[in-house]
């Protein structure tokens, strides 16, 4: 089978998976329709909102519309990640934590000035990421779940919002702080002082920059709106967590800042202090846990603002409720798409209407309701996805409220001597309740509707994914005949796919109906599946018909089919059991522990099966490489193989056990404590503890690299003078040294001198850049020449390494025939060379030829491992050491088990069994959790984006790539290491001793290891195709299970908290795995080409 055919088959299969996944996503994660309409002071619907007279429209000055303004200016201070309990003060707490009782200024003002100050619980709507929260707090709309993905790239907000209303109404807006605002509101600020926001390790740059400008700006007069977005608290949470002393320092700094700003406020200025979201106990955010959605809101006015005293428990308000509240208090229109409800406590009656305390509140709610009703009418016309029955009910409720409001207001204006009685007050109270009910139920309806789905797209996506999984399974089971049928199984499906795509385009031209490119791709995928399955099953039916004619007994054929299906029961039953469990939220929450158990079960079962099958019971063990072994002292005994397998099984189980110490915790697990290894060294206050963990980290990395070099030395791959060998010898130690230096700098505490801090910043940029450069150089070197074989010719013999042939030795047929003989002759020469026998006049020794494929792949794996270790915090190097030991132990168990199982099957070595593929995929999942990750947004380790880039990035591509590599490190490593499942049984070929007669009869003088792959290039390509399809099948079934769980449970209470994030992480993990798997298989083909070229050059040299 041509190498290119293997790669193309895998690429086509991945594209089929992507088409199904994309179609499902288009039906599961839909973004709501955004209206581009804008509110204006000239809107006729609001001209009579206050009663119809001109005074109600402009009762104070000409700078107000819709409702007379209470304030001329506003200061909005956003303290990022200000969780509610950060702002709450408890005087009875005599031993507060680092984040407790630090904002005393809020408590003092609320206690001493209850009419001027108020603290609220500020409820955020998930996802709790900064960009989505800013969008919600300025537009008054709800973000959809998929909006979380745009947190990397903050594109300009197109919907009507407070900032645009300020600018539209000639108000000067000054901004300072998080540069996210510049991306969301370009060219909207009168003055701006933006600072880079994405470097979570930087606690001071943004806050210090704001403090340099905020006091002079507040004192000045050239502004109407001042917005300052502080990031120190949020970054402190990401870096240290809320329980670190650095959090106390940042909150104390905010307390001092608030005191100064409050002291500078004028009577016409409103102060709003808020948190855009909270944080978990680990300092992360993005999800919907209580700590993440419960932020703080503090309102302060120099003049009395509140009539009633605050309740004992602070009131809970939604973040979007701030939008209409600020708009009406400042006398500007409410943004068009707002669905928030005004905070009625902030609308007190004017002096001339003291006899009716509810009038101003009713007026504000009335205007708010008209605006929301207008939005509902426009949105239902544009999107048509709001439930008609609910819309009709809300319309009736709105009409009833409007009639009641107009009647009450008319009574107030009929006569100046009208005195409201008790009944009148009760009617106003009921009106307030009715308007609030209307606004609240409207928001609830929108929340439900914007979580809408497209069942047709979802179902078609599931069908495509299931068909592709079946495609993978069928191809992997018939890979040995795939070349003879490649036209039916690859070429024809591609042609069918192109015909389907062309048909859809022709239909578009004829009908004039435009179809999205994604839908066209899906029709092409459907055509491909139809072509594949039609040709496959037609071919299989013909083959079965021929086989039935040759078989005398029909029962024998049936029994054979049952036996062939039963062999899949255990290796595929376990992953299918895991897939079924994905429908349980309890399983998803504890998946790390469950996968560890299943992984240990598979490997233990593999070893026990050898015992049950009698592979360890015979005194002497035969293998395909030595067909007949005589019973002699050189034979491999049962005792040796048993101890060998048991030893590596114990190492494997211990690694799985110890790796559990690196797990992170989900917030659903109340009694779970996250691993202390997840915290970087700089968070440790005790210097002795910090030094101990630093030594442990560098020791783990040193042992890891030492073991890799030891393997190269053991198999002779470090003897040649090739550039790749030189890089492994010197480049690896130098990279390790650079990582030691980088970790030492990163471990420096925050409380250091300015000079030392500047020096560490420079080192933290230069050293990772050197490592990046060295790793990229290493990749290029191994891609250019991956051969690590050393040939030593003593020139003492006339015997040539290559026998004479009639044809040219450079011909492909001759070279393929002679490859195993070359290797055996080299091995024989090595024996003569090392035995000191000088009877032979000339000897040839080849070092590393038996592991030439594995050595190249391990070089790439080592480079990737060093890169991924650098993207994690330094204490995770021990986790990567366990990953390496666990993977190596499994490969040794797998290689030994294959050598013992295939005593009479010479072709069985070219097939990787299902249990090995399943266990390898489970290893990737297990170490996803064992490197501190979880399928939740708060668990994403954003620090990886700033390794070597402490000053931030100019684009969002590189930080997204770095964070993605950090998150899916285990998927990457095990996808790249997947071919080792095929190579390792050849590497583990054990040297046997036989008598001379056996050697002569068999023609085999020694093991040839990976050279058997070159001796059978057709079987090598087939084996690679089969392995790739099986690995994609295991991951595809996992993806299909998560997709089905998200679809079936889309109305489940935990869908956006558990199942949807799990699905997204599973989808991203599949995409990452498939991409790196394709790259790895291309690299293996490159190594095969290089080995071919090396042998041809050797043949030409020997023929001279």
């Amino acid at each position: 089978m041509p190498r290119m055919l293997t790669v193309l088959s895998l690429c086509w299969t991945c594209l089929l998976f992507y088409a199904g996944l994309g179609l499902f996503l288009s039906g599961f994660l839909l973004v709501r329709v955004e209206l581009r309409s804008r509110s204006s002071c000239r809107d006729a619907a609001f001209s009579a909102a206050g009663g119809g007279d001109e005074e109600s429209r402009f009762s104070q000055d000409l700078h107000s519309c819709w409702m007379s303004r209470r304030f001329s200016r506003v200061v909005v201070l956003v303290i990022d990640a200000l969780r509610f309990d950060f702002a709450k003060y408890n005087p009875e707490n005599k031993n507060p934590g680092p984040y407790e009782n630090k904002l005393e200024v809020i408590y003092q003002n609320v206690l001493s000035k209850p009419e001027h100050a108020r603290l609220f619980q500020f409820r955020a709507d998930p996802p709790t990421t900064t960009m989505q929260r800013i969008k919600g707090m300025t537009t008054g709309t709800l973000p959809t779940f998929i909006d979380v993905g745009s947190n990397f790239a903050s594109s300009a907000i197109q919907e009507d919002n407070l900032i645009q209303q300020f600018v539209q109404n000639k108000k000067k807006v000054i901004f300072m702080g998080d540069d996210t605002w510049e991306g969301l509101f370009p060219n909207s600020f009168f003055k701006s002082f933006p600072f880079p926001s994405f470097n979570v390790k930087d606690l001071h740059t943004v806050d210090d920059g704001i403090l340099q400008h905020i006091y002079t700006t507040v004192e000045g007069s050239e502004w109407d709106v001042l917005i300052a977005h502080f990031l120190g608290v949020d970054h402190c949470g990401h870096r240290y967590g809320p329980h670190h002393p650095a959090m106390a320092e940042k909150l104390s700094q905010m307390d001092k800042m608030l005191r100064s700003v409050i002291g500078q406020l004028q009577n016409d200025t409103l102060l709003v202090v808020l948190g855009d979201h909270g944080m978990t106990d680990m300092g992360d955010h993005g999800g919907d846990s209580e700590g993440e959605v419960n932020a703080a809101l503090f309102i302060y006015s120099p003049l009395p603002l509140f009539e009633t005293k605050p309740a004992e428990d602070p009131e809970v308000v939604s973040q979007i409720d701030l939008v209409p509240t600020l708009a009406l208090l400042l006398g500007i229109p409410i943004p068009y798409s707002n669905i928030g409800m005004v905070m009625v406590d902030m609308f007190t009656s004017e002096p001339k209407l003291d006899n009716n305390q509810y009038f101003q509140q009713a007026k504000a709610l009335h205007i708010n309701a008209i605006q929301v009703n207008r939005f509902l009418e426009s949105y239902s016309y544009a999107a048509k996805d709001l439930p008609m029955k609910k819309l009709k009910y809300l319309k009736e409720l709105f009409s009833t409220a409007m009639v009641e409001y107009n009647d009450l207001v008319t009574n107030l204006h009929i006569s100046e001597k009208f005195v409201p009685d008790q009944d009148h007050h009760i009617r106003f109270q009921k009106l307030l309740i009715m308007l609030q009910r209307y606004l609240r139920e409207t928001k609830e309806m929108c929340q439900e509707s914007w979580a809408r789905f497209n069942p047709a797209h979802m179902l078609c996506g599931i069908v495509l994914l299931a068909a592709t999984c079946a495609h993978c399974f069928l191809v992997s089971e018939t890979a040995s005949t795939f070349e003879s049928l490649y036209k039916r199984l690859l070429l024809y499906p591609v042609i069918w796919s192109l015909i389907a795509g062309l048909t859809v385009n022709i239909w578009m031209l004829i009908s004039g109906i435009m179809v999205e490119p994604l839908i066209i791709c899906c029709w092409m995928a459907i055509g491909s599946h139809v072509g594949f399955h039609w040709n496959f099953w037609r071919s299989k039916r013909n083959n079965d018909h021929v086989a039935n004619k040759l078989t005398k007994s029909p029962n024998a054929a049936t029994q054979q089919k049952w036996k062939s299906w039963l062999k899949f029961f255990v290796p595929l039953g376990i992953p299918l059991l895991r897939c079924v469990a994905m429908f349980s939220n309890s399983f998803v929450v504890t998946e790390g522990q469950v996968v560890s158990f299943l992984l240990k079960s598979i490997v233990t079962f593999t070893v026990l099966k050898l015992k049950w099958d009698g592979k360890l019971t015979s005194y002497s063990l035969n293998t395909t490489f030595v067909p007949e072994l005589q019973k002699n002292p050189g034979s491999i005994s049962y005792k040796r193989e048993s101890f060998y397998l048991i030893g590596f099984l114990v190492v494997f189980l211990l690694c799985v056990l110890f790796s559990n110490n690196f797990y992170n915790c989900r917030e659903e697990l109340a009694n779970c404590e996250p691993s202390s290894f997840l915290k970087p060294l700089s968070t440790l206050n005790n210097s002795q503890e910090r030094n101990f963990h630093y030594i442990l980290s560098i020791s783990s990395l040193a042992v890891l690299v030492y073991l890799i070099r030891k393997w190269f030395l053991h198999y002779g791959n470090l003897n040649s003078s090739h550039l790749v060998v030189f890089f492994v010898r010197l480049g690896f130690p130098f990279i390790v040294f650079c990582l030691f230096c980088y970790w030492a700098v990163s471990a420096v505490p925050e409380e250091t001198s300015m000079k030392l801090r500047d020096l560490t910043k420079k080192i933290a940029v230069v050293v990772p850049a050197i490592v990046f450069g060295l790793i990229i150089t290493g990749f290029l070197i191994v891609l250019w020449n991956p051969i690590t074989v050393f040939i030593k010719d003593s020139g003492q013999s006339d015997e040539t390494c290559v026998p004479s042939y009639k044809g040219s030795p450079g011909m492909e047929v001759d070279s393929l025939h002679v490859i195993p003989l070359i290797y055996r002759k080299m091995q024989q020469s090595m024996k003569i060379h090392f035995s000191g026998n000088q009877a032979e006049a000339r000897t040839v020794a080849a070092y590393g030829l038996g592991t030439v494929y594995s050595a190249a792949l391990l070089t790439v794996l080592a480079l990737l491992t060093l890169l991924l270790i650098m993207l994690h915090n330094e204490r995770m190097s021990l986790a990567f050491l366990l990953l390496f030991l666990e993977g190596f132990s499994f490969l040794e168990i797998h290689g030994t088990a294959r050598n013992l199982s295939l005593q009479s099957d010479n072709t069985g070595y070219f097939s990787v069994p299902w249990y090995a593929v399943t266990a390898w995929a489970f290893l990737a999942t297990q170490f996803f959790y064992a490197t501190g990750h979880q399928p939740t947004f708060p668990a994403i380790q954003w620090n990886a984006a700033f390794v070597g880039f402490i000053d931030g990035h100019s684009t969002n591509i590189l930080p997204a790539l770095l964070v993605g590599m950090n998150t899916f490190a285990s998927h990457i490593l095990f996808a790249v290491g997947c071919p080792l499942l095929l190579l390792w049984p050849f590497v583990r070929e054990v040297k046997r001793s036989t008598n001379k007669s056996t050697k002569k009869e068999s023609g085999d003088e020694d093991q040839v290891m990976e050279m058997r792959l070159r001796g059978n290039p057709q079987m090598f390509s087939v084996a690679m195709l089969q392995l790739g399809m099986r690995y994609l099948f295991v991951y595809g079934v996992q993806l299909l299970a998560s997709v089905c769980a998200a679809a079936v449970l889309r109305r489940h209470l935990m869908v956006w908290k558990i199942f949807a994030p799990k699905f997204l992480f599973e989808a991203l993990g599949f995409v990452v795995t498939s991409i790196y798997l394709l790259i790895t298989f291309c690299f293996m083909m490159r190594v095969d080409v290089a080995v071919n070229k090396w042998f041809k050059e050797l043949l030409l040299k020997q023929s001279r």
Side-chain angles (χ1 to χ4, degrees):
M1 173 183 290
R3 304 183 190 95
M4 189 58 65
L5 185 59
T6 298
V7 175
L8 288 178
S9 300
L10 292 173
C11 286
W12 186 251
T13 303
C14 290
L15 291 176
L16 294 177
F17 271 117
Y18 299 158
L21 179 60
L23 186 59
F24 180 84
L25 281 170
S26 69
F28 185 73
L29 298 176
L30 292 178
V31 181
R32 63 176 177 81
V33 176
E34 292 187 354
L35 302 181
R36 302 300 173 87
S37 302
R38 305 198 182 282
S39 298
S40 170
C41 287
R42 296 185 178 89
D43 290 340
F46 301 92
S47 61
D53 58 335
E54 196 70 19
E55 183 184 2
S56 64
R57 292 181 56 192
F58 304 101
S59 58
Q60 284 191 351
D61 54 58
L62 296 177
H63 299 287
S64 299
C65 64
W66 288 19
M67 187 171 182
S68 58
R69 67 181 184 180
R70 293 287 303 274
F71 299 95
S72 302
R73 301 194 296 181
V74 62
V75 177
V76 180
L77 303 180
V78 182
I79 302 179
D80 207 294
L82 183 65
R83 203 166 70 186
F84 177 73
D85 54 350
F86 291 6
K88 189 176 181 180
Y89 191 91
N90 183 9
E92 298 179 359
N93 187 354
K94 304 302 181 182
N95 188 24
Y99 63 86
E100 296 175 322
N101 290 2
K102 296 300 182 291
L103 295 177
E104 190 177 5
V105 61
I106 295 178
Y107 171 75
Q108 291 175 347
N109 280 279
V110 171
L111 184 64
S112 60
K113 303 177 182 178
E115 295 180 352
H116 299 255
R118 188 70 54 90
L119 178 65
F120 299 91
Q121 293 188 52
F122 206 34
R123 201 75 176 179
D125 297 296
T128 49
T129 50
T130 296
M131 194 281 283
Q132 286 70 37
R133 294 297 86 238
I134 295 176
K135 185 176 181 180
M137 292 185 297
T138 55
T139 63
T141 58
L142 300 173
T144 56
F145 185 82
I146 194 59
D147 281 345
V148 72
S150 59
N151 199 50
F152 271 116
S154 302
S155 57
I157 295 177
Q158 302 298 325
E159 285 185 293
D160 194 10
N161 56 79
L162 282 177
I163 304 300
Q164 291 178 352
Q165 285 296 333
F166 286 139
V167 175
Q168 181 176 304
N169 288 275
K170 310 300 181 183
K171 294 186 180 295
K172 298 178 180 178
V173 183
I174 295 181
F175 169 76
M176 53 189 71
D178 185 351
D179 60 355
T180 303
W181 290 74
E182 282 282 346
L184 295 174
F185 310 103
N187 306 317
S188 299
F189 302 119
F190 178 70
K191 287 183 181 179
S192 65
F193 305 95
F195 301 94
S197 61
F198 206 51
N199 186 1
V200 295
K201 290 187 176 181
D202 186 355
L203 274 60
H204 305 293
T205 299
V206 177
D207 292 0
D208 292 346
I210 295 175
L211 294 177
Q212 290 177 2
H213 300 94
I214 188 170
Y215 301 127
T216 55
T217 303
V218 173
E219 289 181 352
S221 58
E222 292 188 354
W223 62 275
D224 298 299
V225 179
L226 171 60
I227 302 173
H229 192 146
F230 295 87
L231 288 175
V233 173
D234 178 68
H235 287 187
C236 184
H238 283 297
R239 184 170 183 180
Y240 300 114
H243 302 281
H244 194 272
M247 182 62 76
E249 296 179 5
K250 293 307 301 182
L251 291 174
S252 297
Q253 183 186 39
M254 294 297 99
D255 182 76
K256 182 179 178 181
M257 178 273 299
L258 289 176
R259 291 181 185 276
S260 300
V261 171
I262 290 175
Q264 293 178 310
L265 293 179
Q266 303 295 322
N267 288 339
D268 63 344
T269 305
L270 176 69
L271 173 64
V272 180
V273 181
L274 59 92
D276 55 343
H277 52 75
M279 66 173 66
T280 65
D281 287 337
M282 290 293 294
D284 301 313
H285 59 88
D288 61 352
S289 67
E290 185 65 23
E292 294 168 277
V293 301
N294 201 14
L297 171 65
F298 173 64
I299 304 292
Y300 177 82
S301 169
L303 296 177
L305 180 62
F306 304 98
E307 285 188 346
T308 60
K309 292 185 178 180
E312 184 176 349
D313 293 327
E315 181 183 351
V316 179
V317 297
S318 176
Q319 283 190 347
I320 62 174
D321 293 347
L322 184 64
V323 175
T325 304
L326 283 182
L328 296 184
L329 287 176
L330 293 168
I332 63 172
I334 301 174
Y336 192 92
S337 299
N338 165 75
I339 58 171
M341 178 173 60
V342 292
M343 302 161 60
V344 293
D345 290 345
M346 299 177 65
F347 293 87
T348 55
S349 298
E350 298 178 13
K352 67 177 182 179
L353 296 172
D354 279 344
N355 52 359
N356 192 341
Q357 58 181 334
Y358 303 112
F359 177 74
Q360 285 295 102
Q361 296 177 352
K363 184 178 178 181
L365 285 171
H366 174 236
I367 295 174
N368 191 185
I370 294 177
Q371 172 265 317
V372 170
N373 180 69
R374 181 185 64 174
F375 166 73
L376 284 183
E377 291 178 349
S378 301
Y379 187 87
S380 60
Y381 178 79
K384 301 185 184 301
D385 60 354
L386 297 176
M388 296 303 299
K389 185 177 181 180
K390 187 69 173 179
L391 277 175
K392 183 179 179 181
Y393 163 74
L394 290 175
K395 186 67 176 178
E396 293 174 355
L397 184 61
F398 172 76
S399 300
T400 303
M402 291 302 101
V403 171
E404 179 68 6
Y405 176 83
N406 291 331
D407 183 55
L408 290 172
V409 171
T410 301
N411 290 335
L412 286 177
H413 290 280
I414 287 177
S415 173
E416 296 181 359
K417 298 181 180 179
F418 175 78
V419 178
D421 54 13
Q422 185 65 26
D423 180 64
H424 199 79
H425 286 297
I426 293 176
R427 288 180 63 188
F428 259 108
Q429 291 177 354
K430 291 182 177 180
L431 174 63
L432 295 180
I433 295 174
M434 188 184 305
L435 290 170
Q436 289 175 324
R437 175 183 165 193
Y438 169 77
L439 293 169
R440 183 173 58 253
E441 293 190 11
T442 298
K443 177 185 173 183
E444 293 173 354
M445 179 192 67
C446 291
Q447 285 178 318
E448 294 177 0
S449 299
W450 291 339
R452 71 193 190 281
F453 307 96
N454 188 325
H457 283 200
M458 293 166 62
L459 180 60
C460 292
I462 291 174
V463 171
L464 282 177
L465 289 174
T468 310
C469 289
H471 171 92
C472 290
F473 181 82
L474 294 174
V475 172
S476 69
E477 294 303 308
T478 58
S480 58
T481 62
F482 194 59
E483 184 182 19
S484 60
L485 299 175
Y486 83 94
K487 286 186 178 180
R488 296 180 180 178
L489 303 184
L490 178 64
L491 181 60
Y492 291 162
V494 172
I495 293 176
W496 280 53
S497 173
L498 296 176
I499 292 174
L502 182 61
T503 303
V504 173
N505 279 280
I506 293 175
W507 177 80
M508 288 170 54
L509 292 175
I510 296 175
S511 64
I513 300 175
M514 298 302 297
V515 179
E516 297 180 4
L518 176 62
I519 304 301
I520 298 176
C521 293
C522 292
W523 275 109
M524 295 176 66
I526 293 172
S528 176
H529 281 302
V530 171
F532 168 78
H533 287 282
W534 185 73
N535 283 281
F536 177 86
W537 293 109
R538 186 183 65 171
S539 175
K540 188 177 186 306
R541 185 175 62 253
N542 294 335
N543 293 338
D544 291 344
H545 182 69
V546 174
N548 290 334
K549 286 184 177 181
L550 298 176
T551 303
K552 295 182 180 180
S553 172
N555 293 331
T558 304
Q559 292 176 1
Q560 185 65 28
K561 287 183 178 179
W562 276 107
K563 288 182 179 180
S564 64
W565 282 106
L566 285 175
K567 70 179 182 180
F568 300 121
F569 180 73
V570 173
L572 293 183
I574 292 180
L576 291 178
L577 179 64
R578 179 200 169 202
C579 292
V580 172
M582 284 190 181
F583 288 81
S584 167
N585 58 329
S586 300
F587 167 81
V588 176
V589 170
T590 59
E591 185 184 25
Q593 289 77 14
V594 176
V595 170
S596 296
F597 171 76
L598 295 177
L599 179 61
K600 290 184 288 186
S601 301
I602 293 176
V603 178
T604 305
F605 175 81
T606 301
V607 177
L608 292 177
K609 191 173 185 297
L610 292 174
K611 175 68 176 177
W612 296 335
D613 292 343
K615 303 301 182 182
L616 295 176
T617 56
S618 60
Y619 180 79
S620 297
L621 302 170
N622 296 331
T623 71
T624 166
F625 300 136
V626 185
E628 287 187 29
L629 285 176
Q630 305 298 323
K631 292 185 179 181
N632 57 62
S635 299
I636 296 189
S637 66
Y638 154 75
K639 183 176 180 180
R640 175 181 174 184
E641 290 298 324
S642 298
F643 281 139
Y644 190 83
L645 283 171
I646 292 174
F648 275 106
L649 178 60
V650 171
V651 172
F652 178 86
L653 296 177
L654 288 176
C655 289
V656 175
L657 178 64
F658 290 141
S659 65
N660 292 335
N661 294 319
F662 297 89
Y663 278 28
N664 201 347
C665 288
R666 296 180 64 114
E667 61 95 11
E668 294 90 349
L669 301 176
N671 298 324
C672 177
E673 286 292 334
S675 171
S676 60
F677 286 91
L678 300 177
K679 298 179 180 179
L681 290 177
S682 58
T683 62
L684 301 179
N685 297 323
N686 190 311
S687 59
Q688 292 183 349
E689 183 182 5
R690 185 165 58 247
N691 293 337
F692 169 76
H693 282 281
Y694 176 75
I695 295 174
L696 180 62
S697 299
I698 64 175
S699 300
S700 301
L701 182 59
V703 170
L704 175 59
V705 175
Y706 170 78
L707 292 176
I708 294 174
R709 282 172 53 87
K710 190 71 174 177
W711 187 93
F712 278 92
L713 286 170
H714 177 73
Y715 287 104
N717 294 102
L718 286 183
N719 295 302
S720 75
S721 58
H722 291 168
L723 190 57
V724 62
V725 175
F726 176 79
F727 187 85
V728 172
R729 282 183 170 275
L730 299 181
F732 281 11
F734 186 68
I735 292 175
V736 171
F737 173 75
C738 290
L739 289 178
F740 289 171
C741 297
Y742 176 67
W743 290 348
V745 169
S746 300
V748 175
E750 187 71 23
E751 302 80 14
T752 56
S753 63
M754 187 62 67
K755 292 184 178 180
L756 181 59
R757 189 183 302 174
D758 293 339
L759 178 62
T760 56
K761 283 185 177 180
K762 292 179 181 179
I763 297 176
V765 172
V766 173
V767 174
I770 295 174
V771 174
F772 282 130
L774 287 173
I775 290 176
I776 293 174
T777 302
F779 284 138
L780 294 176
I781 290 173
V782 73
L783 184 63
W784 174 56
N785 184 13
I787 302 300
T788 56
V789 180
F790 173 59
I791 298 295
K792 184 176 181 181
D793 190 345
S794 64
Q796 296 176 348
S797 175
D798 294 333
E799 180 186 19
T800 61
C801 182
V802 183
S804 299
Y805 290 92
K806 294 182 180 180
S808 170
M811 293 176 61
E812 179 70 17
V813 176
D814 289 341
S815 65
L816 292 177
H817 175 76
V818 82
I819 283 169
L821 298 179
I822 294 174
Y823 186 76
R824 295 193 188 99
K825 190 63 67 176
M826 291 178 179
Q827 291 288 348
Q828 182 187 34
S829 301
M830 289 174 64
K831 294 176 189 175
I832 297 173
H833 175 74
F834 285 108
S835 64
N837 187 355
Q838 300 300 323
E840 299 289 343
R842 185 182 183 189
T843 61
V844 178
Y847 298 88
L849 187 60
T851 53
V852 61
Y853 293 96
S854 300
L857 190 57
L858 281 176
T859 303
V860 173
L861 269 174
L863 289 170
L864 270 174
T865 301
L866 293 173
L867 173 62
L868 295 173
I869 287 177
M870 187 174 68
L871 295 180
H872 288 73
N873 81 65
E874 54 275 8
R875 299 174 71 182
M876 296 304 294
S877 59
L878 180 57
F880 279 89
L881 175 60
L882 291 174
L883 181 151
F884 174 85
L885 292 175
E886 188 174 326
F888 176 78
S889 300
F890 174 76
L891 288 173
E892 288 292 305
I893 294 172
H894 165 60
T896 304
R898 294 299 285 168
N899 277 300
L900 295 177
S901 300
L902 302 171
Q903 298 181 25
S904 58
D905 185 4
N906 193 35
T907 62
Y909 284 87
F910 292 88
S911 176
V912 180
W914 280 105
Y915 81 84
V917 178
T918 300
W920 198 252
F922 278 17
L923 278 167
T925 301
Q926 189 241 338
F927 265 98
F928 171 80
Y929 292 98
T931 47
H933 297 100
Q934 287 284 344
T936 59
F937 294 111
I940 296 176
Q941 300 174 8
W942 302 104
N943 288 338
F946 304 101
V947 175
F949 302 92
I950 61 176
D951 293 327
H953 301 267
S954 57
T955 65
N956 294 307
I957 298 176
L958 185 56
L961 179 63
L962 294 176
V963 172
M965 293 184 69
N966 169 280
T967 303
F968 299 103
S970 62
H971 295 73
I972 293 172
L973 290 177
F974 283 96
V976 173
C978 185
L980 292 176
L981 295 174
L982 174 64
L983 301 175
W984 214 261
F986 297 99
V987 174
R988 278 288 301 128
E989 180 186 350
V990 183
K991 182 177 178 180
R992 315 285 180 172
S993 298
T994 64
N995 57 27
K996 294 182 179 180
S997 62
T998 304
K999 291 181 182 179
K1000 292 179 181 178
E1001 292 175 4
S1002 66
D1004 288 331
E1005 299 180 5
D1006 214 331
Q1007 71 273 20
V1008 295
M1009 301 168 73
E1010 291 178 357
M1011 284 304 97
R1012 293 194 180 276
L1013 297 170
R1014 281 307 316 137
N1016 300 275
Q1018 168 70 18
M1019 297 180 68
F1020 183 27
S1021 297
V1022 170
M1024 290 294 288
L1025 175 64
Q1026 184 188 62
L1027 175 61
M1029 287 295 180
R1030 288 185 173 181
Y1031 201 65
L1032 287 176
F1033 172 80
V1034 174
Y1035 268 94
V1037 169
Q1038 293 177 184
L1039 175 63
L1040 178 62
S1042 65
V1043 163
C1044 291
V1048 173
L1049 303 174
R1050 62 186 182 274
R1051 296 299 180 186
H1052 192 277
L1053 179 64
M1054 294 293 180
V1055 61
W1056 301 115
K1057 188 179 185 67
I1058 294 179
F1059 296 108
K1062 173 61 179 174
F1063 155 63
L1064 289 180
F1065 274 82
E1066 201 72 49
L1068 289 173
F1070 175 84
V1071 172
V1072 170
T1073 297
S1074 60
I1075 290 175
Y1076 277 90
L1077 187 70
L1078 290 174
I1079 294 174
T1080 302
F1081 275 51
C1082 291
F1083 174 72
M1084 291 302 297
M1085 299 299 107
R1086 166 70 185 104
V1087 176
D1088 194 41
V1089 171
V1091 172
N1092 250 350
K1093 181 180 178 182
W1094 182 85
F1095 268 108
K1096 288 181 179 180
E1097 293 176 352
L1098 180 63
L1099 290 170
L1100 290 174
K1101 185 183 297 184
Q1102 292 295 329
S1103 64
R1104 294 171 184 171

